[in-house]
Amino acid sequence: MIGQAAIEENTFTRVDFSKQRPVATGFEECTFEHCFFSKADLSNIVFSDCIFTGCDFSMATLTKTVLRGARFKDCKMLGVHFEQCNSFIFTVDFENCILNLASFYKLSMKKTRFQNCTLHEVDFAECDLTGALFDHCALNGAKFDRTVLAKADFRTSFHYAIDPERNRVAKAKFSSAGLAGLLGKYDIEID
């Protein structure tokens, strides 16, 4: 389905892809456990319905990489530029991941789930995060600018700063404890 050199339904454990680029053009329904992708060039590779657990993707190159139905759990993904991925059918899910300094600039990420993630200084500018779930996420310094946050759920997340005048927040869900993150630009005190 993915191409001549596609690998299907395999499990890779503790493989260091930073030293040698994957030889396959695509991976379908594969599992990657504790693999090392840091600074790896994953350009033009297709990952379809793959699961990544305990992997390090820090500073990996994802130029035209396809992430379709990719699930990341307990992964370290510092400084990853997801906006360089192939945006067609870009679907990802993150659980217990460190995504500090990552960028999702202009990506459509409807209903994406971020659960127990650290998202410090992440760029969500001009993203479509309609219906996204931010469950127990730390969003210190995350950038939301002209971002579609309609129906997104931030009720259990913290340390975000979202300007309702610069972002579409219709029907988004916030807790009363998160009001400071919505009103921060007004320099008011909330008790």
Side-chain angles (χ1 to χ4, degrees):
M1 176 183 151
I2 296 172
Q4 191 174 17
I7 296 175
E8 298 180 8
E9 299 179 5
N10 273 356
T11 298
F12 301 88
T13 305
R14 300 192 188 286
V15 177
D16 188 346
F17 291 103
S18 69
K19 294 183 179 181
Q20 182 175 345
R21 180 178 161 81
V23 292
T25 59
F27 298 88
E28 185 174 341
E29 295 182 14
C30 290
T31 301
F32 297 85
E33 299 171 340
H34 306 286
C35 292
F36 194 70
F37 296 94
S38 184
K39 297 182 182 176
D41 183 0
L42 304 175
S43 298
N44 297 303
I45 296 176
V46 176
F47 294 98
S48 183
D49 297 316
C50 292
I51 299 170
F52 301 89
T53 305
C55 297
D56 185 349
F57 279 87
S58 298
M59 302 300 292
T61 300
L62 300 177
T63 305
K64 296 184 182 175
T65 302
V66 174
L67 294 176
R68 182 185 312 122
R71 296 188 336 212
F72 300 92
K73 183 175 181 182
D74 302 317
C75 291
K76 182 178 176 183
M77 308 178 91
L78 303 175
V80 176
H81 286 267
F82 291 97
E83 81 276 7
Q84 295 176 350
C85 288
N86 183 326
S87 60
F88 185 69
I89 313 177
F90 177 82
T91 51
V92 290
D93 183 272
F94 301 98
E95 183 179 348
N96 299 322
C97 292
I98 300 171
L99 289 143
N100 297 347
L101 303 169
S103 177
F104 295 97
Y105 179 67
K106 284 192 172 185
L107 283 172
S108 178
M109 302 175 63
K110 294 178 179 181
K111 297 184 180 179
T112 297
R113 184 176 69 107
F114 296 91
Q115 184 176 11
N116 297 314
C117 292
T118 304
L119 297 156
H120 296 182
E121 306 289 331
V122 172
D123 186 356
F124 289 113
E126 299 185 41
C127 284
D128 185 348
L129 289 162
T130 301
L133 173 63
F134 291 87
D135 183 22
H136 293 92
C137 293
L139 291 149
N140 306 55
K143 180 180 180 180
F144 296 93
D145 187 35
R146 296 185 304 268
T147 306
V148 179
L149 298 168
K151 300 180 183 177
D153 190 342
F154 290 89
R155 290 179 291 181
T156 60
S157 289
F158 44 92
H159 301 303
Y160 52 81
I162 299 170
D163 183 346
E165 294 176 17
R166 293 197 53 84
N167 299 282
R168 290 181 34 203
V169 295
K171 303 209 184 220
K173 299 173 185 171
F174 301 94
S175 69
S176 58
L179 286 178
L182 296 171
L183 302 172
K185 78 175 197 174
Y186 298 109
D187 196 27
I188 59 176
E189 293 183 28
I190 300 170
D191 288 329

